[in-house]
mmCIF file of all heavy atoms in Angstrom:
data_model
loop_
_atom_site.group_PDB
_atom_site.id
_atom_site.type_symbol
_atom_site.label_atom_id
_atom_site.label_comp_id
_atom_site.label_asym_id
_atom_site.label_seq_id
_atom_site.Cartn_x
_atom_site.Cartn_y
_atom_site.Cartn_z
ATOM 1 N N CYS S 13 -7.393 0.574 22.902
ATOM 2 C CA CYS S 13 -8.419 -0.229 23.547
ATOM 3 C C CYS S 13 -7.774 -1.215 24.512
ATOM 4 O O CYS S 13 -6.558 -1.462 24.473
ATOM 5 C CB CYS S 13 -9.265 -0.971 22.519
ATOM 6 S SG CYS S 13 -8.366 -2.265 21.647
ATOM 7 N N LYS S 14 -8.616 -1.779 25.345
ATOM 8 C CA LYS S 14 -8.140 -2.782 26.302
ATOM 9 C C LYS S 14 -8.134 -4.157 25.642
ATOM 10 O O LYS S 14 -8.936 -4.441 24.743
ATOM 11 C CB LYS S 14 -9.040 -2.803 27.533
ATOM 12 C CG LYS S 14 -8.956 -1.556 28.399
ATOM 13 C CD LYS S 14 -9.845 -1.688 29.629
ATOM 14 C CE LYS S 14 -9.748 -0.456 30.503
ATOM 15 N NZ LYS S 14 -10.632 -0.577 31.701
ATOM 16 N N SER S 15 -7.264 -5.001 26.118
ATOM 17 C CA SER S 15 -7.178 -6.359 25.616
ATOM 18 C C SER S 15 -8.517 -7.076 25.803
ATOM 19 O O SER S 15 -9.157 -6.940 26.848
ATOM 20 C CB SER S 15 -6.076 -7.102 26.373
ATOM 21 O OG SER S 15 -5.880 -8.391 25.840
ATOM 22 N N GLY S 16 -8.957 -7.774 24.782
ATOM 23 C CA GLY S 16 -10.210 -8.516 24.856
ATOM 24 C C GLY S 16 -11.394 -7.803 24.239
ATOM 25 O O GLY S 16 -12.437 -8.422 24.005
ATOM 26 N N THR S 17 -11.243 -6.534 23.953
ATOM 27 C CA THR S 17 -12.347 -5.800 23.332
ATOM 28 C C THR S 17 -12.259 -5.910 21.820
ATOM 29 O O THR S 17 -11.248 -6.345 21.264
ATOM 30 C CB THR S 17 -12.337 -4.320 23.737
ATOM 31 O OG1 THR S 17 -11.095 -3.731 23.312
ATOM 32 C CG2 THR S 17 -12.467 -4.175 25.252
ATOM 33 N N SER S 18 -13.339 -5.509 21.156
ATOM 34 C CA SER S 18 -13.376 -5.522 19.692
ATOM 35 C C SER S 18 -13.340 -4.096 19.170
ATOM 36 O O SER S 18 -13.877 -3.181 19.781
ATOM 37 C CB SER S 18 -14.642 -6.229 19.199
ATOM 38 O OG SER S 18 -14.594 -7.595 19.537
ATOM 39 N N VAL S 19 -12.703 -3.938 18.045
ATOM 40 C CA VAL S 19 -12.527 -2.612 17.454
ATOM 41 C C VAL S 19 -12.964 -2.658 15.997
ATOM 42 O O VAL S 19 -12.574 -3.558 15.252
ATOM 43 C CB VAL S 19 -11.050 -2.170 17.519
ATOM 44 C CG1 VAL S 19 -10.847 -0.854 16.794
ATOM 45 C CG2 VAL S 19 -10.597 -2.066 18.968
ATOM 46 N N LYS S 20 -13.773 -1.680 15.602
ATOM 47 C CA LYS S 20 -14.224 -1.616 14.211
ATOM 48 C C LYS S 20 -13.568 -0.437 13.516
ATOM 49 O O LYS S 20 -13.549 0.685 14.026
ATOM 50 C CB LYS S 20 -15.738 -1.459 14.141
ATOM 51 C CG LYS S 20 -16.268 -1.383 12.698
ATOM 52 C CD LYS S 20 -17.755 -1.093 12.631
ATOM 53 C CE LYS S 20 -18.568 -2.332 12.883
ATOM 54 N NZ LYS S 20 -20.015 -2.109 12.617
ATOM 55 N N ILE S 21 -13.044 -0.691 12.334
ATOM 56 C CA ILE S 21 -12.423 0.360 11.519
ATOM 57 C C ILE S 21 -13.213 0.474 10.217
ATOM 58 O O ILE S 21 -13.496 -0.525 9.563
ATOM 59 C CB ILE S 21 -10.948 0.012 11.201
ATOM 60 C CG1 ILE S 21 -10.161 -0.193 12.494
ATOM 61 C CG2 ILE S 21 -10.320 1.112 10.355
ATOM 62 C CD1 ILE S 21 -8.781 -0.787 12.261
ATOM 63 N N GLU S 22 -13.554 1.709 9.866
ATOM 64 C CA GLU S 22 -14.321 1.943 8.638
ATOM 65 C C GLU S 22 -13.422 2.487 7.531
ATOM 66 O O GLU S 22 -12.535 3.293 7.778
ATOM 67 C CB GLU S 22 -15.425 2.960 8.890
ATOM 68 C CG GLU S 22 -16.564 2.452 9.735
ATOM 69 C CD GLU S 22 -17.704 3.458 9.785
ATOM 70 O OE1 GLU S 22 -17.540 4.579 9.287
ATOM 71 O OE2 GLU S 22 -18.756 3.112 10.348
ATOM 72 N N CYS S 23 -13.698 2.055 6.326
ATOM 73 C CA CYS S 23 -12.990 2.542 5.151
ATOM 74 C C CYS S 23 -14.027 2.979 4.124
ATOM 75 O O CYS S 23 -14.914 2.195 3.762
ATOM 76 C CB CYS S 23 -12.117 1.424 4.575
ATOM 77 S SG CYS S 23 -11.244 1.852 3.056
ATOM 78 N N ARG S 24 -13.934 4.227 3.704
ATOM 79 C CA ARG S 24 -14.915 4.755 2.755
ATOM 80 C C ARG S 24 -14.225 5.349 1.525
ATOM 81 O O ARG S 24 -13.230 6.070 1.659
ATOM 82 C CB ARG S 24 -15.749 5.863 3.396
ATOM 83 C CG ARG S 24 -16.654 5.401 4.503
ATOM 84 C CD ARG S 24 -17.477 6.548 5.063
ATOM 85 N NE ARG S 24 -18.288 6.100 6.199
ATOM 86 C CZ ARG S 24 -19.502 5.598 6.086
ATOM 87 N NH1 ARG S 24 -20.066 5.487 4.893
ATOM 88 N NH2 ARG S 24 -20.172 5.209 7.149
ATOM 89 N N SER S 25 -14.747 5.022 0.359
ATOM 90 C CA SER S 25 -14.299 5.713 -0.850
ATOM 91 C C SER S 25 -15.271 6.863 -1.067
ATOM 92 O O SER S 25 -16.481 6.662 -1.170
ATOM 93 C CB SER S 25 -14.296 4.755 -2.048
ATOM 94 O OG SER S 25 -15.584 4.216 -2.270
ATOM 95 N N LEU S 26 -14.750 8.075 -1.097
ATOM 96 C CA LEU S 26 -15.610 9.264 -1.034
ATOM 97 C C LEU S 26 -16.098 9.747 -2.393
ATOM 98 O O LEU S 26 -17.142 10.394 -2.474
ATOM 99 C CB LEU S 26 -14.864 10.394 -0.321
ATOM 100 C CG LEU S 26 -14.451 10.093 1.125
ATOM 101 C CD1 LEU S 26 -13.799 11.322 1.750
ATOM 102 C CD2 LEU S 26 -15.645 9.650 1.958
ATOM 103 N N ASP S 27 -15.357 9.479 -3.436
ATOM 104 C CA ASP S 27 -15.752 10.067 -4.715
ATOM 105 C C ASP S 27 -15.752 9.070 -5.862
ATOM 106 O O ASP S 27 -15.754 9.469 -7.027
ATOM 107 C CB ASP S 27 -14.848 11.264 -5.042
ATOM 108 C CG ASP S 27 -13.368 10.885 -4.972
ATOM 109 O OD1 ASP S 27 -13.059 9.713 -4.695
ATOM 110 O OD2 ASP S 27 -12.531 11.777 -5.184
ATOM 111 N N PHE S 28 -15.744 7.775 -5.539
ATOM 112 C CA PHE S 28 -15.891 6.783 -6.599
ATOM 113 C C PHE S 28 -16.433 5.495 -5.992
ATOM 114 O O PHE S 28 -16.415 5.304 -4.777
ATOM 115 C CB PHE S 28 -14.559 6.535 -7.321
ATOM 116 C CG PHE S 28 -13.557 5.730 -6.533
ATOM 117 C CD1 PHE S 28 -13.293 4.411 -6.856
ATOM 118 C CD2 PHE S 28 -12.872 6.299 -5.468
ATOM 119 C CE1 PHE S 28 -12.367 3.673 -6.130
ATOM 120 C CE2 PHE S 28 -11.944 5.566 -4.738
ATOM 121 C CZ PHE S 28 -11.688 4.250 -5.070
ATOM 122 N N GLN S 29 -16.921 4.644 -6.831
ATOM 123 C CA GLN S 29 -17.468 3.367 -6.374
ATOM 124 C C GLN S 29 -16.376 2.307 -6.449
ATOM 125 O O GLN S 29 -15.865 1.998 -7.522
ATOM 126 C CB GLN S 29 -18.667 2.968 -7.233
ATOM 127 C CG GLN S 29 -19.848 3.906 -7.041
ATOM 128 C CD GLN S 29 -21.097 3.421 -7.751
ATOM 129 O OE1 GLN S 29 -21.015 2.820 -8.810
ATOM 130 N NE2 GLN S 29 -22.245 3.676 -7.158
ATOM 131 N N ALA S 30 -16.037 1.787 -5.288
ATOM 132 C CA ALA S 30 -14.950 0.823 -5.191
ATOM 133 C C ALA S 30 -15.486 -0.593 -5.328
ATOM 134 O O ALA S 30 -16.221 -1.082 -4.471
ATOM 135 C CB ALA S 30 -14.235 0.977 -3.852
ATOM 136 N N THR S 31 -15.134 -1.238 -6.419
ATOM 137 C CA THR S 31 -15.570 -2.620 -6.600
ATOM 138 C C THR S 31 -14.824 -3.555 -5.650
ATOM 139 O O THR S 31 -15.345 -4.588 -5.256
ATOM 140 C CB THR S 31 -15.328 -3.067 -8.048
ATOM 141 O OG1 THR S 31 -13.955 -2.825 -8.385
ATOM 142 C CG2 THR S 31 -16.220 -2.292 -9.007
ATOM 143 N N THR S 32 -13.630 -3.184 -5.319
ATOM 144 C CA THR S 32 -12.800 -4.017 -4.447
ATOM 145 C C THR S 32 -12.129 -3.147 -3.403
ATOM 146 O O THR S 32 -11.661 -2.051 -3.713
ATOM 147 C CB THR S 32 -11.717 -4.757 -5.253
ATOM 148 O OG1 THR S 32 -12.322 -5.454 -6.338
ATOM 149 C CG2 THR S 32 -10.967 -5.762 -4.376
ATOM 150 N N MET S 33 -12.094 -3.664 -2.191
ATOM 151 C CA MET S 33 -11.339 -2.990 -1.128
ATOM 152 C C MET S 33 -10.361 -3.984 -0.522
ATOM 153 O O MET S 33 -10.651 -5.178 -0.426
ATOM 154 C CB MET S 33 -12.275 -2.428 -0.067
ATOM 155 C CG MET S 33 -13.000 -1.170 -0.531
ATOM 156 S SD MET S 33 -13.958 -0.422 0.792
ATOM 157 C CE MET S 33 -14.419 1.126 0.049
ATOM 158 N N PHE S 34 -9.228 -3.481 -0.147
ATOM 159 C CA PHE S 34 -8.166 -4.305 0.400
ATOM 160 C C PHE S 34 -7.821 -3.802 1.808
ATOM 161 O O PHE S 34 -7.831 -2.601 2.064
ATOM 162 C CB PHE S 34 -6.910 -4.216 -0.472
ATOM 163 C CG PHE S 34 -7.123 -4.615 -1.910
ATOM 164 C CD1 PHE S 34 -7.568 -3.693 -2.840
ATOM 165 C CD2 PHE S 34 -6.874 -5.909 -2.327
ATOM 166 C CE1 PHE S 34 -7.766 -4.048 -4.166
ATOM 167 C CE2 PHE S 34 -7.068 -6.283 -3.656
ATOM 168 C CZ PHE S 34 -7.527 -5.340 -4.572
ATOM 169 N N TRP S 35 -7.494 -4.733 2.667
ATOM 170 C CA TRP S 35 -7.057 -4.376 4.019
ATOM 171 C C TRP S 35 -5.634 -4.859 4.227
ATOM 172 O O TRP S 35 -5.295 -6.021 3.943
ATOM 173 C CB TRP S 35 -7.981 -5.001 5.067
ATOM 174 C CG TRP S 35 -9.300 -4.308 5.143
ATOM 175 C CD1 TRP S 35 -10.460 -4.658 4.516
ATOM 176 C CD2 TRP S 35 -9.594 -3.112 5.885
ATOM 177 N NE1 TRP S 35 -11.457 -3.769 4.822
ATOM 178 C CE2 TRP S 35 -10.962 -2.813 5.658
ATOM 179 C CE3 TRP S 35 -8.855 -2.283 6.721
ATOM 180 C CZ2 TRP S 35 -11.588 -1.713 6.240
ATOM 181 C CZ3 TRP S 35 -9.470 -1.198 7.296
ATOM 182 C CH2 TRP S 35 -10.828 -0.911 7.054
ATOM 183 N N TYR S 36 -4.800 -3.931 4.723
ATOM 184 C CA TYR S 36 -3.400 -4.218 4.973
ATOM 185 C C TYR S 36 -3.083 -3.905 6.434
ATOM 186 O O TYR S 36 -3.754 -3.098 7.073
ATOM 187 C CB TYR S 36 -2.503 -3.322 4.120
ATOM 188 C CG TYR S 36 -2.611 -3.484 2.626
ATOM 189 C CD1 TYR S 36 -3.615 -2.836 1.908
ATOM 190 C CD2 TYR S 36 -1.693 -4.252 1.923
ATOM 191 C CE1 TYR S 36 -3.710 -2.969 0.530
ATOM 192 C CE2 TYR S 36 -1.775 -4.381 0.537
ATOM 193 C CZ TYR S 36 -2.781 -3.740 -0.143
ATOM 194 O OH TYR S 36 -2.859 -3.863 -1.514
ATOM 195 N N ARG S 37 -2.021 -4.525 6.917
ATOM 196 C CA ARG S 37 -1.444 -4.078 8.171
ATOM 197 C C ARG S 37 0.038 -3.805 7.934
ATOM 198 O O ARG S 37 0.667 -4.419 7.070
ATOM 199 C CB ARG S 37 -1.691 -5.064 9.309
ATOM 200 C CG ARG S 37 -1.022 -6.409 9.177
ATOM 201 C CD ARG S 37 -1.486 -7.374 10.248
ATOM 202 N NE ARG S 37 -1.132 -6.946 11.598
ATOM 203 C CZ ARG S 37 -1.388 -7.650 12.688
ATOM 204 N NH1 ARG S 37 -2.029 -8.809 12.607
ATOM 205 N NH2 ARG S 37 -1.034 -7.237 13.880
ATOM 206 N N GLN S 38 0.536 -2.885 8.707
ATOM 207 C CA GLN S 38 1.923 -2.460 8.522
ATOM 208 C C GLN S 38 2.563 -2.289 9.887
ATOM 209 O O GLN S 38 2.098 -1.487 10.708
ATOM 210 C CB GLN S 38 1.985 -1.150 7.730
ATOM 211 C CG GLN S 38 3.391 -0.702 7.370
ATOM 212 C CD GLN S 38 3.397 0.556 6.532
ATOM 213 O OE1 GLN S 38 2.554 1.430 6.698
ATOM 214 N NE2 GLN S 38 4.357 0.672 5.616
ATOM 215 N N PHE S 39 3.644 -3.013 10.126
ATOM 216 C CA PHE S 39 4.413 -2.851 11.347
ATOM 217 C C PHE S 39 5.481 -1.796 11.105
ATOM 218 O O PHE S 39 5.837 -1.507 9.959
ATOM 219 C CB PHE S 39 5.026 -4.190 11.764
ATOM 220 C CG PHE S 39 3.996 -5.188 12.213
ATOM 221 C CD1 PHE S 39 3.640 -6.259 11.405
ATOM 222 C CD2 PHE S 39 3.361 -5.039 13.431
ATOM 223 C CE1 PHE S 39 2.674 -7.164 11.811
ATOM 224 C CE2 PHE S 39 2.397 -5.944 13.855
ATOM 225 C CZ PHE S 39 2.048 -7.001 13.034
ATOM 226 N N PRO S 40 5.982 -1.197 12.185
ATOM 227 C CA PRO S 40 6.957 -0.106 12.035
ATOM 228 C C PRO S 40 8.122 -0.470 11.126
ATOM 229 O O PRO S 40 8.708 -1.538 11.254
ATOM 230 C CB PRO S 40 7.417 0.146 13.475
ATOM 231 C CG PRO S 40 6.262 -0.285 14.312
ATOM 232 C CD PRO S 40 5.665 -1.457 13.598
ATOM 233 N N LYS S 41 8.405 0.417 10.206
ATOM 234 C CA LYS S 41 9.528 0.289 9.277
ATOM 235 C C LYS S 41 9.433 -0.971 8.419
ATOM 236 O O LYS S 41 10.455 -1.475 7.949
ATOM 237 C CB LYS S 41 10.859 0.335 10.027
ATOM 238 C CG LYS S 41 11.092 1.662 10.738
ATOM 239 C CD LYS S 41 12.479 1.772 11.323
ATOM 240 C CE LYS S 41 12.656 3.127 11.992
ATOM 241 N NZ LYS S 41 14.010 3.303 12.567
ATOM 242 N N GLN S 42 8.241 -1.462 8.241
ATOM 243 C CA GLN S 42 8.047 -2.607 7.359
ATOM 244 C C GLN S 42 7.036 -2.260 6.273
ATOM 245 O O GLN S 42 6.351 -1.249 6.347
ATOM 246 C CB GLN S 42 7.569 -3.820 8.156
ATOM 247 C CG GLN S 42 8.595 -4.350 9.129
ATOM 248 C CD GLN S 42 8.192 -5.681 9.728
ATOM 249 O OE1 GLN S 42 7.410 -6.430 9.144
ATOM 250 N NE2 GLN S 42 8.719 -5.984 10.892
ATOM 251 N N SER S 43 6.982 -3.100 5.276
ATOM 252 C CA SER S 43 6.078 -2.835 4.171
ATOM 253 C C SER S 43 4.654 -3.257 4.519
ATOM 254 O O SER S 43 4.384 -3.774 5.593
ATOM 255 C CB SER S 43 6.561 -3.565 2.923
ATOM 256 O OG SER S 43 5.856 -3.117 1.788
ATOM 257 N N LEU S 44 3.776 -3.038 3.593
ATOM 258 C CA LEU S 44 2.373 -3.381 3.796
ATOM 259 C C LEU S 44 2.162 -4.878 3.582
ATOM 260 O O LEU S 44 2.657 -5.449 2.607
ATOM 261 C CB LEU S 44 1.486 -2.627 2.801
ATOM 262 C CG LEU S 44 1.240 -1.153 3.085
ATOM 263 C CD1 LEU S 44 2.425 -0.314 2.726
ATOM 264 C CD2 LEU S 44 0.018 -0.678 2.309
ATOM 265 N N MET S 45 1.427 -5.480 4.474
ATOM 266 C CA MET S 45 1.102 -6.888 4.346
ATOM 267 C C MET S 45 -0.393 -7.015 4.097
ATOM 268 O O MET S 45 -1.201 -6.591 4.925
ATOM 269 C CB MET S 45 1.483 -7.642 5.619
ATOM 270 C CG MET S 45 1.245 -9.150 5.526
ATOM 271 S SD MET S 45 1.432 -9.980 7.099
ATOM 272 C CE MET S 45 -0.166 -9.669 7.845
ATOM 273 N N LEU S 46 -0.744 -7.576 2.954
ATOM 274 C CA LEU S 46 -2.153 -7.725 2.618
ATOM 275 C C LEU S 46 -2.801 -8.738 3.548
ATOM 276 O O LEU S 46 -2.293 -9.840 3.742
ATOM 277 C CB LEU S 46 -2.298 -8.184 1.168
ATOM 278 C CG LEU S 46 -3.726 -8.386 0.663
ATOM 279 C CD1 LEU S 46 -4.487 -7.063 0.653
ATOM 280 C CD2 LEU S 46 -3.713 -9.005 -0.727
ATOM 281 N N MET S 47 -3.929 -8.340 4.114
ATOM 282 C CA MET S 47 -4.673 -9.236 5.001
ATOM 283 C C MET S 47 -5.807 -9.918 4.252
ATOM 284 O O MET S 47 -6.013 -11.118 4.363
ATOM 285 C CB MET S 47 -5.253 -8.457 6.175
ATOM 286 C CG MET S 47 -4.230 -7.788 7.050
ATOM 287 S SD MET S 47 -5.003 -6.778 8.306
ATOM 288 C CE MET S 47 -5.793 -8.016 9.306
ATOM 289 N N ALA S 48 -6.552 -9.112 3.504
ATOM 290 C CA ALA S 48 -7.730 -9.664 2.847
ATOM 291 C C ALA S 48 -8.196 -8.747 1.737
ATOM 292 O O ALA S 48 -7.886 -7.554 1.710
ATOM 293 C CB ALA S 48 -8.860 -9.867 3.860
#
Side-chain angles (χ1 to χ4, degrees):
Chain S
C13 68
K14 292 182 179 179
S15 185
T17 60
S18 293
V19 175
K20 180 186 280 189
I21 303 169
E22 289 188 353
C23 177
R24 293 182 184 271
S25 59
L26 299 184
D27 53 1
F28 74 106
Q29 293 187 326
T31 54
T32 308
M33 285 186 170
F34 302 86
W35 286 96
Y36 297 83
R37 66 188 296 183
Q38 186 177 34
F39 292 106
K41 297 188 179 181
Q42 294 190 24
S43 191
L44 284 76
M45 183 190 82
L46 180 64
M47 299 175 67

